Amino acid sequence: MTDDPHRCVDQRDVDAILDEFLRSVDVPGVAVSLFTSKGVTARAARGVSSLESPDIAMTPRTVGVVHSLSKVMTGTAVGVLAARGQADLDEPIVRHLPNVAGRDRFADTTMRHLLSHSAGFVRGPVPLLSEATRRDPLEQYVLGACLGAPRFAEPGEVFGYSELGIVVAGYVLQRIVRKPFVQAMRELLFEPAGMHRTTLDPFVAMTFPLCQQHVRTSSGNLVVRRRFDANLMTAPSAGVFSCAEDLARLGVVHLRGDRGNRGRPLLTATAAGHLHEPCVDVGLDIERGYGVAIASGPRYGDVLSVGHEGHYDGNWSKLQLIPDLGIGAAWLDNRGEDPTLRPRRQECFDQLLHLLGAGERSWQRDEEITGTSDSADVDPAAVAGTYGRLAGRALTITAEPNGLRATDGVTSVEYAHLGGRLYVASPAATGALKHIPWAPDPDSTRSALSVVGPARTPTHVLLNGLPYPRLR
């Protein structure tokens, strides 16, 4: 089945990739959709939606919770507002907040900060501090908890992945359009994009064919996880139910191929560029940045891809697109995150993109490709000091002849200079690291330490993408 005659994909090739995937892993069911700017070009599914109902097949329209891909949808809806001139990504959000305690803290915080994980927020969740009862759970959480949440940096200063930032952005979107977030998402994005099986309401999701979540017990058995972690308080960050076909339609919107209800793309070229253009570096040894709620990297051939994953216990989803080639792929399976599954998922995802003409995948940063480095290199002696987080041990960094040494009093690792502000551990040292935050990012091969702030007085370090503000 194909909606785009300009990209002919042999259905048998897609089926073969999924068949081989299920033969090599313990995933009950998987569904994918390939797309271009013209629309969905191929769909396929294999396996079952639940081990308890082996007669119900997984399909590209089978719905499941997509967790952090909700962030991409929230960012896309903000992009739609920006394309209409109804939102400014760089306007201080304080203008849209009610006159409540904590409001003044956002005088310099913008939607771009919130959606690119550079607002300085802790990751979350945070407890409700206000006893006031509000009819709107999202408003209750934002006004009663998020506005007073701890911050480890000034807006725009450093990357720090945060569900709270996305939640606040969703609330601001709601304030701008003067409609509940659930209704706003439906009218701004889901309906005009043709995402007819995408919803923030678990009771609506239950009316569609729904894949169950599967987790492994301590005894090694694969069982159904019966609880969906859907919460309207955090809906902008992780509350969406969707299917592989609808995720592909979201990708089509990003490639500016959907004409919406007004006969033109939902996103302008400028708005799409703002969503995809990296505005903050995650500080890893791989090419990974963030635009507006969407991550950049890896490269396929010589062009950069953008996308995001969504997973928690029991479901795993992914959306990846290559704007310069006008192609992308969406994936949904019902097994959940598992480090042993990640390589096979990535391999199959690459094979799907190759069917559309994508080149070989590479995570190399610009410094390694071009041999260039940031002109603002820092003196290792200036980095030396103590850095800390709200939870966990403080990090002490000392200057060494060949780079930096980091220790938390238990683990000690030497980092050699890679380029610019980035230092990396040797493969041998990285292999010995077992616990967070010392273990590298799942897509990295080396533990990475990145220096942030003025060259003579760094303010933070990023250890494998986790921000540590300087204590002394």
Side-chain angles (χ1 to χ4, degrees):
M1 185 183 300
T2 182
D3 296 338
D4 180 6
H6 303 288
R7 295 276 186 167
C8 295
V9 174
D10 192 325
Q11 187 69 44
R12 293 170 297 182
D13 292 337
V14 182
D15 293 342
I17 292 171
L18 297 190
D19 285 336
E20 179 58 30
F21 174 72
L22 290 189
R23 278 195 294 267
S24 62
V25 297
D26 58 351
V27 173
V30 58
V32 301
S33 288
L34 309 186
F35 58 90
T36 72
S37 60
K38 301 294 184 181
V40 178
T41 193
R43 311 169 181 84
R46 286 292 189 268
V48 298
S49 61
S50 172
L51 289 177
E52 296 180 346
S53 303
D55 57 327
I56 301 178
M58 190 82 164
T59 78
R61 294 184 176 183
T62 300
V63 171
V65 61
V66 298
H67 300 296
S68 283
L69 281 183
S70 307
K71 298 176 174 65
V72 178
M73 297 182 195
T74 298
T76 305
V78 173
V80 171
L81 287 180
R84 296 179 182 177
Q86 295 177 251
D88 184 342
L89 292 171
D90 298 307
E91 175 188 47
I93 65 164
V94 68
R95 300 177 186 176
H96 301 289
L97 296 176
N99 189 19
V100 296
R103 178 179 185 274
D104 293 342
R105 300 177 69 210
F106 294 84
D108 298 317
T109 303
T110 67
M111 286 288 257
R112 193 187 302 276
H113 292 141
L114 295 172
L115 291 165
S116 66
H117 303 285
S118 61
F121 265 129
V122 296
R123 180 161 188 171
V126 290
L128 282 167
L129 301 177
S130 171
E131 296 182 359
T133 300
R134 297 177 183 271
R135 296 177 61 184
D136 177 2
L138 175 58
E139 182 173 67
Q140 169 75 353
Y141 186 50
V142 170
L143 302 187
C146 298
L147 295 192
R151 299 175 84 164
F152 56 82
E154 294 300 313
E157 195 171 19
V158 64
F159 171 82
Y161 193 88
S162 174
E163 287 85 358
L164 299 184
I166 308 296
V167 169
V168 174
Y171 175 66
V172 174
L173 181 153
Q174 170 176 291
R175 296 276 296 183
I176 291 174
V177 300
R178 299 182 181 181
K179 295 179 180 179
F181 179 75
V182 172
Q183 180 182 353
M185 290 298 293
R186 185 175 64 248
E187 295 179 1
L188 285 171
L189 180 61
F190 301 160
E191 290 180 352
M195 299 167 65
H196 299 306
R197 295 194 174 199
T198 300
T199 179
L200 284 149
D201 188 337
F203 294 106
V204 173
M206 290 168 60
T207 67
F208 300 121
L210 188 68
C211 66
Q212 299 299 318
Q213 307 170 107
H214 295 85
V215 295
R216 191 167 294 288
T217 66
S218 57
S219 61
N221 296 322
L222 201 61
V223 300
V224 170
R225 181 179 187 265
R226 303 191 181 281
R227 183 173 195 164
F228 286 113
D229 298 287
N231 187 336
L232 288 176
M233 282 189 174
T234 57
S237 176
V240 174
F241 291 80
S242 192
C243 61
E245 186 172 301
D246 277 9
L247 292 177
R249 297 192 187 285
L250 173 65
V252 173
V253 169
H254 277 257
L255 297 179
R256 302 188 61 242
D258 191 280
R259 296 290 150 180
N261 294 333
R262 302 185 180 186
R264 59 178 181 268
L266 294 175
L267 295 175
T268 63
T270 299
H274 281 304
L275 296 183
H276 302 158
E277 182 68 25
C279 57
V280 61
D281 192 339
V282 179
L284 302 175
D285 69 316
I286 59 176
E287 186 65 52
R288 171 56 58 79
Y290 260 90
V292 173
I294 193 165
S296 58
R299 285 185 173 84
Y300 284 88
D302 59 356
V303 292
L304 194 64
S305 71
V306 297
H308 213 289
E309 294 176 1
H311 51 75
Y312 193 58
D313 283 345
N315 274 55
W316 196 91
S317 57
K318 185 180 180 76
L319 176 70
Q320 201 79 21
L321 53 140
I322 309 175
D324 286 350
L325 299 182
I327 61 173
W331 176 295
L332 175 67
D333 72 48
N334 53 7
R335 173 65 171 83
E337 174 67 351
D338 183 333
T340 64
L341 296 177
R342 179 170 285 272
R344 283 295 293 131
R345 281 173 170 146
Q346 183 64 67
E347 180 182 351
C348 292
F349 213 88
D350 292 344
Q351 291 172 352
L352 293 170
L353 288 175
H354 294 337
L355 294 179
L356 289 169
E360 293 299 313
R361 172 171 52 90
S362 170
W363 281 105
Q364 283 186 304
R365 293 175 63 96
D366 283 335
E367 296 96 311
E368 294 186 280
I369 295 173
T370 65
T372 61
S373 63
D374 191 335
S375 60
D377 285 358
V378 295
D379 180 352
V383 185
T386 303
Y387 300 77
R389 290 171 58 81
L390 291 178
R393 298 184 183 91
L395 192 69
T396 299
I397 297 180
T398 56
E400 299 290 327
N402 297 319
L404 300 170
R405 176 185 290 271
T407 180
D408 63 359
V410 176
T411 303
S412 183
V413 178
E414 290 190 3
Y415 291 84
H417 187 231
L418 177 67
R421 301 297 192 89
L422 187 62
Y423 294 77
V424 295
S426 69
T430 297
L433 300 175
K434 300 297 183 183
H435 63 283
I436 297 173
W438 293 88
D441 178 88
D443 291 313
S444 300
T445 58
R446 300 167 292 186
S447 181
L449 189 152
S450 181
V451 182
V452 181
R456 294 184 180 180
T457 55
T459 58
H460 298 75
V461 295
L462 286 163
L463 180 58
N464 298 323
L466 297 177
Y468 282 72
R470 181 188 283 273
L471 301 179
R472 58 182 181 273

Coordinates of all heavy atoms in Angstrom, one line a residue, residues 77-89 91 96 111 172-173 175-179 188 262 264:
A77 N 2.7 21.3 18.0 CA 1.5 22.2 18.1 C 1.9 23.6 18.3 O 1.3 24.6 17.8 CB 0.6 21.7 19.2
V78 N 2.9 23.8 19.1 CA 3.5 25.2 19.3 C 4.0 25.7 18.0 O 3.8 26.9 17.7 CB 4.5 25.2 20.4 CG1 5.2 26.6 20.5 CG2 4.0 24.8 21.8
G79 N 4.6 24.9 17.2 CA 5.1 25.3 15.9 C 4.0 25.7 15.0 O 4.1 26.6 14.2
V80 N 2.9 25.0 15.1 CA 1.7 25.4 14.3 C 1.2 26.8 14.7 O 0.9 27.6 13.8 CB 0.6 24.3 14.5 CG1 -0.7 24.8 13.8 CG2 1.0 23.0 13.9
L81 N 1.2 27.0 16.0 CA 0.8 28.4 16.4 C 1.8 29.4 15.9 O 1.4 30.5 15.5 CB 0.7 28.4 18.0 CG -0.5 27.7 18.6 CD1 -0.4 27.9 20.1 CD2 -1.8 28.3 18.1
A82 N 3.1 29.1 16.0 CA 4.1 30.0 15.5 C 3.9 30.3 14.0 O 4.0 31.4 13.5 CB 5.5 29.5 15.8
A83 N 3.6 29.2 13.2 CA 3.3 29.4 11.8 C 2.2 30.3 11.5 O 2.1 31.0 10.5 CB 3.1 28.0 11.2
R84 N 1.2 30.4 12.4 CA 0.0 31.2 12.3 C 0.2 32.6 12.8 O -0.6 33.5 12.7 CB -1.2 30.6 13.0 CG -1.6 29.3 12.4 CD -2.8 28.8 13.2 NE -3.3 27.5 12.8 CZ -4.3 26.8 13.4 NH1 -4.9 27.3 14.5 NH2 -4.6 25.6 12.9
G85 N 1.4 32.8 13.4 CA 1.6 34.1 14.1 C 1.0 34.3 15.4 O 0.9 35.4 16.0
Q86 N 0.5 33.2 16.0 CA -0.1 33.3 17.3 C 0.8 33.0 18.5 O 0.4 33.1 19.6 CB -1.3 32.2 17.4 CG -2.4 32.5 16.4 CD -3.5 31.5 16.4 OE1 -3.6 30.7 15.5 NE2 -4.2 31.4 17.5
A87 N 2.0 32.6 18.2 CA 3.0 32.3 19.3 C 4.4 32.7 18.8 O 4.7 32.6 17.6 CB 3.0 30.8 19.6
D88 N 5.2 33.2 19.7 CA 6.5 33.6 19.5 C 7.4 32.7 20.4 O 7.4 32.8 21.6 CB 6.7 35.1 19.8 CG 8.1 35.6 19.5 OD1 9.0 34.7 19.3 OD2 8.3 36.8 19.4
L89 N 8.3 31.9 19.7 CA 9.1 31.0 20.5 C 10.1 31.7 21.4 O 10.6 31.1 22.4 CB 9.9 30.1 19.5 CG 9.1 29.1 18.7 CD1 10.0 28.4 17.7 CD2 8.5 28.0 19.7
E91 N 9.5 34.8 22.9 CA 8.8 35.7 23.8 C 8.8 35.2 25.2 O 8.5 34.0 25.4 CB 7.3 35.9 23.3 CG 6.5 36.7 24.2 CD 5.0 36.7 23.8 OE1 4.5 35.6 23.6 OE2 4.4 37.8 23.7
H96 N 2.1 35.1 29.5 CA 0.9 34.2 29.4 C 0.6 33.5 30.7 O -0.4 32.7 30.7 CB 1.2 33.2 28.3 CG 1.5 33.8 27.0 ND1 0.5 34.4 26.2 CD2 2.7 33.8 26.3 CE1 1.1 34.8 25.1 NE2 2.4 34.5 25.1
M111 N 9.5 29.9 25.3 CA 9.0 28.6 24.9 C 10.2 27.8 24.3 O 10.2 26.6 24.4 CB 7.9 28.8 23.8 CG 6.6 29.2 24.4 SD 5.8 27.9 25.3 CE 4.6 27.3 24.1
V172 N 1.3 26.8 28.8 CA 1.3 28.1 28.1 C 0.5 28.0 26.8 O -0.2 28.9 26.4 CB 2.8 28.5 27.8 CG1 2.8 29.8 27.0 CG2 3.5 28.8 29.2
L173 N 0.7 26.9 26.0 CA -0.1 26.7 24.8 C -1.6 26.8 25.1 O -2.3 27.5 24.4 CB 0.3 25.3 24.2 CG -0.4 24.9 22.9 CD1 0.5 23.9 22.1 CD2 -1.8 24.3 23.1
R175 N -3.0 28.4 27.5 CA -3.3 29.8 27.8 C -3.4 30.6 26.6 O -4.3 31.5 26.5 CB -2.3 30.3 28.8 CG -2.2 29.7 30.1 CD -3.2 30.2 31.1 NE -3.0 31.6 31.4 CZ -3.7 32.3 32.3 NH1 -4.7 31.8 32.9 NH2 -3.4 33.6 32.5
I176 N -2.6 30.4 25.6 CA -2.6 31.2 24.4 C -3.9 30.9 23.6 O -4.5 31.9 23.1 CB -1.3 30.8 23.5 CG1 0.0 31.3 24.2 CG2 -1.5 31.4 22.1 CD1 1.2 30.9 23.5
V177 N -4.3 29.7 23.5 CA -5.5 29.4 22.6 C -6.8 29.5 23.4 O -7.9 29.4 22.9 CB -5.3 28.1 21.9 CG1 -4.1 28.0 21.0 CG2 -5.3 26.9 22.9
R178 N -6.6 29.6 24.8 CA -7.8 29.7 25.7 C -8.7 28.5 25.5 O -9.9 28.6 25.5 CB -8.6 31.0 25.4 CG -7.7 32.2 25.7 CD -8.5 33.5 25.5 NE -7.7 34.7 25.7 CZ -8.1 35.9 25.6 NH1 -9.4 36.1 25.3 NH2 -7.3 36.9 25.8
K179 N -8.1 27.3 25.4 CA -8.8 26.0 25.4 C -8.0 25.0 26.2 O -6.8 25.1 26.3 CB -9.0 25.5 23.9 CG -9.8 26.4 23.0 CD -9.9 25.9 21.6 CE -10.7 26.8 20.7 NZ -10.8 26.3 19.3
L188 N -5.5 21.7 16.9 CA -4.3 22.2 16.3 C -3.5 21.2 15.5 O -3.0 21.5 14.4 CB -3.3 22.8 17.3 CG -3.7 24.1 18.0 CD1 -2.7 24.4 19.1 CD2 -3.6 25.3 17.0
R262 N -6.7 24.1 5.8 CA -6.7 25.3 5.1 C -6.0 25.3 3.8 O -5.7 26.3 3.1 CB -5.9 26.4 6.0 CG -6.6 26.6 7.4 CD -5.9 27.7 8.2 NE -6.5 27.9 9.5 CZ -6.2 28.9 10.3 NH1 -5.3 29.8 9.9 NH2 -6.8 29.0 11.5
R264 N -2.9 24.4 3.1 CA -1.5 24.7 3.1 C -0.9 23.9 4.2 O -1.6 23.5 5.2 CB -1.2 26.2 3.2 CG -1.8 26.8 4.5 CD -1.4 28.3 4.5 NE -1.9 29.0 5.7 CZ -3.0 29.7 5.8 NH1 -3.9 29.7 4.7 NH2 -3.4 30.3 6.9

